[in-house]
Amino acid sequence: MAVQQDHDAKIGVAQAADGVLNHETSAAKETDADHKQEGEQAGPSVFQLTVFLPHEPHETQIMVSPQEQVSEVRQYIVEFPNTFQYSCFHLEHNGQRINDFVELSDIDSISSEPALTLVEDPYTEKEARIHLVRIRELIGAAGDRIDTLHGVLAGLSLHDTVVDANSNDLLTESKPTKETTPSNSHAMTDYIFASPGSLCTLLPRVQDAAPKTIKSVSVSPWNPPPYHLRQKGHLLYLQVTTNEGEQYQITSHVSGFYVNKSSNSKFDPAPRLPPRNLAAHSLFSLIELLSPSFSTSFTALQEYINKKDPLATYQIASAIPSSPWIVPSPASSLLNHQPDITRTQESYLIAGVENSETLRDWNEELQSMQELPRETVQDRVLRERITSKTYGDYNDAAARGAVLVAKGEVAPLNPTESRDAQIFVYNNIFFSFGADGVGTFATEGGDEAARVATGKDVMGVRAVNQLDIQGLFTPGTVVVDFIGKRLVGQSIVPGIFKQRDPGEHQIDYGGVEGKDIIAENEAFVPVFKQLSTALRIKKHAVWDKEGKRHELEGSVETKGLLGTDGRKYVLNLYRITPLDVVWLEQHWSGPTEAEQNEAKKKSYPHRMAVLRPELVNAYWNLKMRDFVKGEINRRRLAPKETNRETVNEQGESNKVETDRDGSDTEGVSKKTVDDSNSFESEQERIDVSGFLLALNPDVHSGQVPQSNEEKDEWARDEKEIHQLKEGDVGFPMDGQSLSHLLHKRGINIRYLGQVATLAAEQGPRLQALRALTVQEMVARAFKHIANRYLRYLPLPFAGACVAHLLNCLLGTGLNQSPVAEIEESLMTLYPEANLKFGSLDPVGLRRDIRAQVNLRYNYDLDDQWVEQLKHVQMLREISLKLGLQLEAKDFRFAEKLANKGESEAVDSKGAPKRSTLNGSASSSSKKKKNSADAGSPASLVASEPPSSAVTFLPDDVINFVPIVKDASPRSTLAEEALEAGRISIVQDQKELGKDLLLESLSLHEQIYGLLHPEVARVYHQVAMLYYQLEDKPAAVELARKAVIIFERTVGVDSAETVLSYLNLGLFEHAVGNTKSALAYIRHALELWKIIYGINHPDSITTINNAAVMLQHLKYYHESRLWFEASLLISEEIYGKHSVHAATLLFQLAQALALDQDSKGAVNRMREAYNIFLNELGASDRNTKEADNWLEQLTQNAVSIAKHAKDIQARRLRRANFTPRVTLGTRPQPQVGQSSSDAAHGNDARNSIGLDSRSVDELMKFIEGGGDTLTRSTPKKRPGRSNPKRRGGSVVGTAA
């Protein structure tokens, strides 16, 4: 199934739009069937359709719904295992041919006679080419394919190898016995908390090669057919070599495929004489006749493929696959480059000789899908499905074109212009550089401003696409960063290059030439008004160079263009929010001002500092709440009989912004807000139609009001902008999650310096946030410096440049004066190349980084910032920001002298050196892996030669991948269903909530396809909801899908992937697969070390969960060690006398009691009691419970001291006792999410905390009297709650 699925996605480009509009994978169909079994759809809406076939098995059954189209039935036939040899056919019903684009319900008598007949069609050359590509993929003859865009191992998933990587048989839930000791029977054996992350964690394991079904299938050298043979139906000539070594020349005819008489030296395409005159309609069937071993080897291939999760093998169609930053050595068997002549022929097979079949009118496709009907749910599903697919295709095409432009493979339309001003057209997409080539941004910051403007523009286009305003269109927009260059790809708007008549402007609405000329067009006012209302933009006045006033609905920079196709396009959406005036006033000075005032050294690089839309929305919500509160207070004070008469007047007085000319408020929704504090006798409602908040995006942008009235209004607009504030942050894992968290709260990245300063003022509790923020600022500063050197550098020098810059930053511990390795032969080939990077030394790079951090983030790095760098984490951040793919090797960041430090915890293969949990030596662990490790990821990590004088070599830079920013909108329909499901569950309508969740899952799969980040996120969220609803098997299945999709689309080491692994481990433990759960958690912890390092604040939750699981498996001693590790992190972050530490001390005391360390249990419980007493008081329930436990543990310790012999006898009896788990596990919260949010639906105080059973029960076990206890989980007791909750704090706020 996976092979043909992979093929279909690849040849989809060669098919016309009909295949795009109606494609649905068989995997999605199977998922839908699962949903239907769980009650999503009633039985009558689905029926069984029989399809009669011309060959064995002669018929097949498909479950379909009446709303599905015939083209979808065709797709199922193409993908089903027993019918995938068919590709060129049509379907008939009662002898009548059926149109592929009609629904099944439109076929007469289909319900009474649910049967169709498959009729094989004659081939065309296009169909023959597609059939050949498909069969090659299907039988595994395509070989390795080089992805020219996304790089090495794009879309990699490690899920299938995680469990096997930690143990040979972790899935066996065996308990420790005499033969099976805890040291070698679970995933946490020999885990080292303090060891650094190993890069081999990010690499796949080497697996056995797939069974070979055929040696080769290729296009014959005799192609193309001569003219006289084309007239007889000859389409292609093929060459097939079977596993038996026989070579056959095959003719592709309109009737099918047959073996001809040709040889390598003789051309005779006539059929062979009997008995060798083999022929078949399908090439698959013909190969089966030619090769006796084909059927057996093909069955073995299918079994090999089915061992993997289908989601790990499907081709990613509508999303950008993730490109790993660490990849195996080119000499690895994973990257073994095999000869395949047809690999170079695929472009011809897919696109034809003229390559005309893949040329698409992107703009027409993108705009036409917006005009599709949206009245019914079915209309919306089809429309959003087409939108997602088309945007996915367009983003891929634009990214490929941008890479070719950056490499100089595409000729410019204006070769006489400067390099930055050149424009290109490739594949019907318009490309330009994100630089100020023509001086448009000369007063705003030049190239820096132009680069930022392109990024803001794609964000603005995405916002407008999400609003989906009828009658307003945007060009397809993609921004690509590649080897220091930024390129913008846009669909070609009809009329944008049209030569206008004298006196006519190129732009129909907004600023034409900067702000000097303003164009107005009444036809644009209605749609721009809808846009401005949705974006909280105020209609305002602007003035041209002659001082003439113009009223605009948007920023003067936002332009409207009436295309020759009659559509209204909106362009230049980089100013949909106001400027960040506070920041600019403090840190920006224009070119003229800087020259006049040399004392003002700090000047932000550009003036394109705008507020984020999230901040504007948050500010609007804040003002709305203030308005409602004002209305409520006014009504309470006013007499009841005058309430209704004064609402409008009071509403006007509370209005934040009104249009000066009294324009109507049609764009503002007439919503009403419930008055929650109204009198019980009547339900009063507040009309909020009088509330308006609209911001002027052109304040502080050079506009000059003329009259006094205009100046007063402008001053009020400026005052509104100054009132905007930013929010707070949590504990992210890496730079990407930190950026997402800030953006979600409306905070721009330029405020990283302020975040770091505020975090430092909070003491140890926020040191993790401060360190991460500083790391992000340094990485971003390095990116800007590297882009400056790479921008005009020829591609052959890029690896040497990056390696030298990395050596200057991260390799000074090994070589304080690295020298750039530049090939002399290349220097002679590129005499004009700017190789200034070669003269850069570590001191100069550090100086530049400090200057960039100060300039961009208003933050001064301290003198020890270089020594505080985390090398692996910094290398990862830089690689992700520059699109680097580095060879996995044992990077030496310092000399190895004392076998200590970060670089010494890695062995020669790049794997962490093993020892037991406390770091003590373990001889058995070192002997475990010898020859069995040949296929492990560690075997793929290259060792640095001892003679290497630098940390990074140019050869270490394997590849550059483009960083793509697109404007694809999200599905509102699927999100609405998901939100409705959440609300129903909160309202205790569980069955309805489940149905809505299943509907949302189905909509996400239909609209996005299976492999998309949005689908992974909904899997993750619904899995959490199912876990809370006690449907844990379903939660495990959904969480597993989320992990695989996150790995393939976001990254194997992304923060979302780590969170998914942690929660998958939790869910596996809940269904009884505790050893598999530990394997997942260990993998997540190893990833965490690479992403952040050790001792992240939120790892407390994860370590606690692992300790509980070890207790469940009766590994009491190891469980105790994990609780101790959790306590150490908590004391480091929150202090030794915090409530957090007391809670963990309480848990550790329980673990010590189970481990038969009664003295240690008493001491830890006494510490917990004292902290509770000091922090919470003697009357607190936690203090009382700790006191009770302390008393019982003390009595038990005294008893043990007096009766040592009795205790020894009881220990012998305890071998048959099975205690209950002391603590419960809890879900891992997302970045910026509180623990209570993550555990929504449960009592937050019991998410992790004190024991849920009595002291007497535990004492009974410790004293050996637990034989009569059952293993059933006790009910939660209300008095056993989490003390940290009562203390008003949380152990881990994010993960």
Side-chain angles (χ1 to χ4, degrees), residues 91-125:
L91 296 173
E92 293 183 356
H93 180 65
N94 293 335
Q96 299 294 321
R97 181 166 183 160
I98 306 172
N99 191 303
D100 288 344
F101 300 102
V102 301
E103 293 184 357
L104 293 177
S105 58
D106 296 334
I107 302 175
D108 295 336
S109 68
I110 189 67
S111 57
S112 59
E113 300 179 35
L116 299 176
T117 302
L118 186 149
V119 180
E120 294 175 332
D121 284 338
Y123 284 96
T124 63
E125 183 189 335

Short mmCIF file of all heavy atoms in Angstrom, two decimals, residues 91-125:
data_model
loop_
_atom_site.label_atom_id
_atom_site.label_comp_id
_atom_site.label_asym_id
_atom_site.label_seq_id
_atom_site.Cartn_x
_atom_site.Cartn_y
_atom_site.Cartn_z
N LEU A 91 -15.34 3.25 -15.64
CA LEU A 91 -16.34 2.46 -14.94
C LEU A 91 -17.68 2.56 -15.66
O LEU A 91 -18.04 3.63 -16.17
CB LEU A 91 -16.48 2.93 -13.48
CG LEU A 91 -15.24 2.75 -12.61
CD1 LEU A 91 -15.43 3.41 -11.25
CD2 LEU A 91 -14.88 1.29 -12.43
N GLU A 92 -18.40 1.45 -15.68
CA GLU A 92 -19.71 1.41 -16.31
C GLU A 92 -20.75 0.87 -15.33
O GLU A 92 -20.42 0.07 -14.44
CB GLU A 92 -19.67 0.52 -17.57
CG GLU A 92 -18.82 1.06 -18.70
CD GLU A 92 -18.87 0.18 -19.93
OE1 GLU A 92 -19.53 -0.90 -19.86
OE2 GLU A 92 -18.28 0.56 -20.96
N HIS A 93 -21.99 1.31 -15.54
CA HIS A 93 -23.12 0.82 -14.74
C HIS A 93 -24.23 0.43 -15.70
O HIS A 93 -24.72 1.27 -16.47
CB HIS A 93 -23.61 1.88 -13.76
CG HIS A 93 -24.76 1.43 -12.91
ND1 HIS A 93 -24.66 0.42 -11.98
CD2 HIS A 93 -26.05 1.86 -12.86
CE1 HIS A 93 -25.83 0.25 -11.39
NE2 HIS A 93 -26.69 1.11 -11.91
N ASN A 94 -24.57 -0.84 -15.68
CA ASN A 94 -25.59 -1.36 -16.60
C ASN A 94 -25.23 -1.08 -18.05
O ASN A 94 -26.08 -0.71 -18.87
CB ASN A 94 -26.98 -0.79 -16.28
CG ASN A 94 -27.50 -1.29 -14.94
OD1 ASN A 94 -27.10 -2.36 -14.46
ND2 ASN A 94 -28.37 -0.52 -14.32
N GLY A 95 -23.93 -1.20 -18.36
CA GLY A 95 -23.48 -1.01 -19.73
C GLY A 95 -23.28 0.43 -20.15
O GLY A 95 -22.87 0.68 -21.28
N GLN A 96 -23.56 1.39 -19.26
CA GLN A 96 -23.42 2.81 -19.59
C GLN A 96 -22.19 3.38 -18.89
O GLN A 96 -21.98 3.18 -17.69
CB GLN A 96 -24.67 3.59 -19.16
CG GLN A 96 -25.95 3.15 -19.84
CD GLN A 96 -25.94 3.44 -21.33
OE1 GLN A 96 -25.44 4.48 -21.77
NE2 GLN A 96 -26.47 2.49 -22.12
N ARG A 97 -21.35 4.09 -19.66
CA ARG A 97 -20.15 4.71 -19.10
C ARG A 97 -20.55 5.83 -18.14
O ARG A 97 -21.45 6.62 -18.43
CB ARG A 97 -19.26 5.25 -20.22
CG ARG A 97 -17.97 5.89 -19.71
CD ARG A 97 -16.99 6.10 -20.82
NE ARG A 97 -15.74 6.66 -20.32
CZ ARG A 97 -14.58 6.60 -20.96
NH1 ARG A 97 -14.52 5.99 -22.14
NH2 ARG A 97 -13.48 7.12 -20.44
N ILE A 98 -19.84 5.93 -17.03
CA ILE A 98 -20.17 6.91 -15.99
C ILE A 98 -19.12 8.02 -16.00
O ILE A 98 -17.91 7.76 -16.10
CB ILE A 98 -20.19 6.25 -14.60
CG1 ILE A 98 -21.13 5.04 -14.61
CG2 ILE A 98 -20.61 7.22 -13.53
CD1 ILE A 98 -21.05 4.23 -13.33
N ASN A 99 -19.60 9.24 -15.90
CA ASN A 99 -18.70 10.39 -15.80
C ASN A 99 -17.98 10.35 -14.46
O ASN A 99 -18.58 10.09 -13.41
CB ASN A 99 -19.51 11.69 -15.93
CG ASN A 99 -18.61 12.89 -16.09
OD1 ASN A 99 -17.74 13.16 -15.26
ND2 ASN A 99 -18.81 13.63 -17.17
N ASP A 100 -16.68 10.63 -14.48
CA ASP A 100 -15.88 10.53 -13.26
C ASP A 100 -16.23 11.60 -12.23
O ASP A 100 -15.88 11.45 -11.05
CB ASP A 100 -14.38 10.67 -13.59
CG ASP A 100 -13.85 9.43 -14.29
OD1 ASP A 100 -14.53 8.39 -14.23
OD2 ASP A 100 -12.77 9.51 -14.91
N PHE A 101 -16.93 12.64 -12.64
CA PHE A 101 -17.13 13.76 -11.73
C PHE A 101 -18.56 13.84 -11.18
O PHE A 101 -18.95 14.87 -10.64
CB PHE A 101 -16.76 15.08 -12.43
CG PHE A 101 -15.34 15.11 -12.87
CD1 PHE A 101 -15.01 14.90 -14.21
CD2 PHE A 101 -14.32 15.30 -11.97
CE1 PHE A 101 -13.70 14.90 -14.63
CE2 PHE A 101 -13.00 15.32 -12.38
CZ PHE A 101 -12.69 15.12 -13.71
N VAL A 102 -19.33 12.80 -11.34
CA VAL A 102 -20.68 12.77 -10.77
C VAL A 102 -20.62 12.02 -9.45
O VAL A 102 -19.76 11.16 -9.23
CB VAL A 102 -21.69 12.10 -11.73
CG1 VAL A 102 -21.74 12.83 -13.04
CG2 VAL A 102 -21.34 10.63 -11.94
N GLU A 103 -21.55 12.35 -8.55
CA GLU A 103 -21.64 11.63 -7.30
C GLU A 103 -22.36 10.31 -7.51
O GLU A 103 -23.17 10.16 -8.43
CB GLU A 103 -22.38 12.48 -6.26
CG GLU A 103 -21.63 13.73 -5.83
CD GLU A 103 -22.35 14.48 -4.72
OE1 GLU A 103 -23.47 14.04 -4.34
OE2 GLU A 103 -21.82 15.49 -4.23
N LEU A 104 -22.07 9.35 -6.65
CA LEU A 104 -22.70 8.04 -6.77
C LEU A 104 -24.22 8.14 -6.63
O LEU A 104 -24.96 7.37 -7.26
CB LEU A 104 -22.14 7.09 -5.69
CG LEU A 104 -20.65 6.72 -5.83
CD1 LEU A 104 -20.22 5.85 -4.66
CD2 LEU A 104 -20.40 6.00 -7.14
N SER A 105 -24.69 9.10 -5.84
CA SER A 105 -26.14 9.25 -5.65
C SER A 105 -26.84 9.69 -6.93
O SER A 105 -28.06 9.52 -7.06
CB SER A 105 -26.42 10.25 -4.53
OG SER A 105 -25.82 11.50 -4.83
N ASP A 106 -26.07 10.26 -7.88
CA ASP A 106 -26.67 10.72 -9.14
C ASP A 106 -26.79 9.61 -10.17
O ASP A 106 -27.35 9.82 -11.25
CB ASP A 106 -25.83 11.86 -9.72
CG ASP A 106 -25.83 13.09 -8.82
OD1 ASP A 106 -26.81 13.26 -8.06
OD2 ASP A 106 -24.86 13.87 -8.88
N ILE A 107 -26.25 8.43 -9.88
CA ILE A 107 -26.33 7.31 -10.82
C ILE A 107 -27.66 6.59 -10.61
O ILE A 107 -28.01 6.21 -9.49
CB ILE A 107 -25.16 6.33 -10.60
CG1 ILE A 107 -23.81 7.07 -10.77
CG2 ILE A 107 -25.24 5.17 -11.58
CD1 ILE A 107 -22.61 6.21 -10.46
N ASP A 108 -28.40 6.42 -11.67
CA ASP A 108 -29.72 5.77 -11.59
C ASP A 108 -29.58 4.35 -11.07
O ASP A 108 -28.72 3.58 -11.52
CB ASP A 108 -30.40 5.77 -12.97
CG ASP A 108 -30.71 7.18 -13.45
OD1 ASP A 108 -30.82 8.07 -12.59
OD2 ASP A 108 -30.79 7.39 -14.68
N SER A 109 -30.44 4.00 -10.15
CA SER A 109 -30.58 2.65 -9.58
C SER A 109 -29.30 2.12 -8.95
O SER A 109 -29.13 0.91 -8.82
CB SER A 109 -31.07 1.66 -10.65
OG SER A 109 -30.06 1.45 -11.65
N ILE A 110 -28.40 3.03 -8.53
CA ILE A 110 -27.17 2.55 -7.90
C ILE A 110 -27.47 1.96 -6.54
O ILE A 110 -26.76 1.05 -6.08
CB ILE A 110 -26.13 3.70 -7.82
CG1 ILE A 110 -24.76 3.17 -7.37
CG2 ILE A 110 -26.63 4.76 -6.84
CD1 ILE A 110 -24.09 2.27 -8.33
N SER A 111 -28.49 2.44 -5.86
CA SER A 111 -28.80 1.93 -4.53
C SER A 111 -29.39 0.53 -4.59
O SER A 111 -29.11 -0.32 -3.74
CB SER A 111 -29.77 2.87 -3.81
OG SER A 111 -30.95 3.04 -4.59
N SER A 112 -30.19 0.27 -5.62
CA SER A 112 -30.78 -1.07 -5.76
C SER A 112 -29.82 -2.05 -6.40
O SER A 112 -29.89 -3.25 -6.15
CB SER A 112 -32.07 -0.99 -6.58
OG SER A 112 -31.81 -0.46 -7.87
N GLU A 113 -28.92 -1.55 -7.25
CA GLU A 113 -27.93 -2.41 -7.91
C GLU A 113 -26.53 -1.80 -7.69
O GLU A 113 -25.98 -1.17 -8.59
CB GLU A 113 -28.21 -2.53 -9.40
CG GLU A 113 -29.57 -3.13 -9.73
CD GLU A 113 -29.80 -3.19 -11.22
OE1 GLU A 113 -28.81 -3.41 -11.95
OE2 GLU A 113 -30.94 -3.00 -11.65
N PRO A 114 -26.01 -1.95 -6.48
CA PRO A 114 -24.70 -1.32 -6.18
C PRO A 114 -23.55 -2.09 -6.80
O PRO A 114 -22.79 -2.77 -6.11
CB PRO A 114 -24.65 -1.36 -4.65
CG PRO A 114 -25.47 -2.54 -4.28
CD PRO A 114 -26.55 -2.66 -5.31
N ALA A 115 -23.43 -2.01 -8.12
CA ALA A 115 -22.36 -2.73 -8.82
C ALA A 115 -21.89 -1.90 -10.01
O ALA A 115 -22.69 -1.29 -10.72
CB ALA A 115 -22.85 -4.10 -9.28
N LEU A 116 -20.56 -1.86 -10.20
CA LEU A 116 -19.95 -1.19 -11.34
C LEU A 116 -19.03 -2.17 -12.04
O LEU A 116 -18.51 -3.12 -11.43
CB LEU A 116 -19.17 0.05 -10.90
CG LEU A 116 -19.95 1.17 -10.20
CD1 LEU A 116 -19.01 2.27 -9.76
CD2 LEU A 116 -21.03 1.72 -11.12
N THR A 117 -18.79 -1.93 -13.30
CA THR A 117 -17.90 -2.78 -14.09
C THR A 117 -16.69 -1.98 -14.53
O THR A 117 -16.83 -0.86 -15.06
CB THR A 117 -18.64 -3.33 -15.33
OG1 THR A 117 -19.78 -4.06 -14.89
CG2 THR A 117 -17.72 -4.25 -16.12
N LEU A 118 -15.51 -2.53 -14.32
CA LEU A 118 -14.26 -1.88 -14.73
C LEU A 118 -13.93 -2.32 -16.16
O LEU A 118 -13.83 -3.52 -16.44
CB LEU A 118 -13.13 -2.25 -13.77
CG LEU A 118 -11.79 -1.55 -13.97
CD1 LEU A 118 -11.07 -1.40 -12.64
CD2 LEU A 118 -10.88 -2.30 -14.94
N VAL A 119 -13.78 -1.34 -17.03
CA VAL A 119 -13.47 -1.60 -18.44
C VAL A 119 -12.13 -0.95 -18.76
O VAL A 119 -11.94 0.25 -18.56
CB VAL A 119 -14.56 -1.05 -19.37
CG1 VAL A 119 -14.22 -1.34 -20.82
CG2 VAL A 119 -15.92 -1.65 -19.01
N GLU A 120 -11.18 -1.75 -19.26
CA GLU A 120 -9.86 -1.24 -19.57
C GLU A 120 -9.92 -0.37 -20.82
O GLU A 120 -10.55 -0.72 -21.82
CB GLU A 120 -8.90 -2.41 -19.78
CG GLU A 120 -8.66 -3.21 -18.51
CD GLU A 120 -7.82 -4.44 -18.74
OE1 GLU A 120 -7.84 -4.96 -19.87
OE2 GLU A 120 -7.14 -4.89 -17.79
N ASP A 121 -9.23 0.78 -20.75
CA ASP A 121 -9.22 1.75 -21.85
C ASP A 121 -7.93 1.62 -22.66
O ASP A 121 -6.91 1.13 -22.16
CB ASP A 121 -9.31 3.18 -21.30
CG ASP A 121 -10.71 3.53 -20.85
OD1 ASP A 121 -11.66 2.88 -21.32
OD2 ASP A 121 -10.84 4.45 -20.03
N PRO A 122 -7.95 2.07 -23.90
CA PRO A 122 -6.70 2.18 -24.67
C PRO A 122 -5.78 3.21 -24.02
O PRO A 122 -6.23 4.21 -23.45
CB PRO A 122 -7.16 2.64 -26.06
CG PRO A 122 -8.62 2.36 -26.10
CD PRO A 122 -9.13 2.46 -24.70
N TYR A 123 -4.48 2.96 -24.12
CA TYR A 123 -3.50 3.88 -23.56
C TYR A 123 -3.24 5.06 -24.50
O TYR A 123 -3.34 4.92 -25.73
CB TYR A 123 -2.18 3.17 -23.30
CG TYR A 123 -2.16 2.26 -22.10
CD1 TYR A 123 -2.41 0.89 -22.24
CD2 TYR A 123 -1.89 2.76 -20.84
CE1 TYR A 123 -2.38 0.05 -21.14
CE2 TYR A 123 -1.86 1.92 -19.73
CZ TYR A 123 -2.11 0.58 -19.88
OH TYR A 123 -2.09 -0.26 -18.79
N THR A 124 -2.92 6.19 -23.92
CA THR A 124 -2.29 7.29 -24.65
C THR A 124 -0.83 7.35 -24.19
O THR A 124 -0.44 6.65 -23.24
CB THR A 124 -2.99 8.62 -24.35
OG1 THR A 124 -2.85 8.90 -22.94
CG2 THR A 124 -4.47 8.55 -24.71
N GLU A 125 -0.04 8.17 -24.85
CA GLU A 125 1.35 8.27 -24.42
C GLU A 125 1.45 8.75 -22.97
O GLU A 125 2.25 8.23 -22.19
CB GLU A 125 2.13 9.22 -25.33
CG GLU A 125 3.61 9.30 -24.95
CD GLU A 125 4.35 10.40 -25.68
OE1 GLU A 125 3.90 10.79 -26.77
OE2 GLU A 125 5.37 10.86 -25.14
#
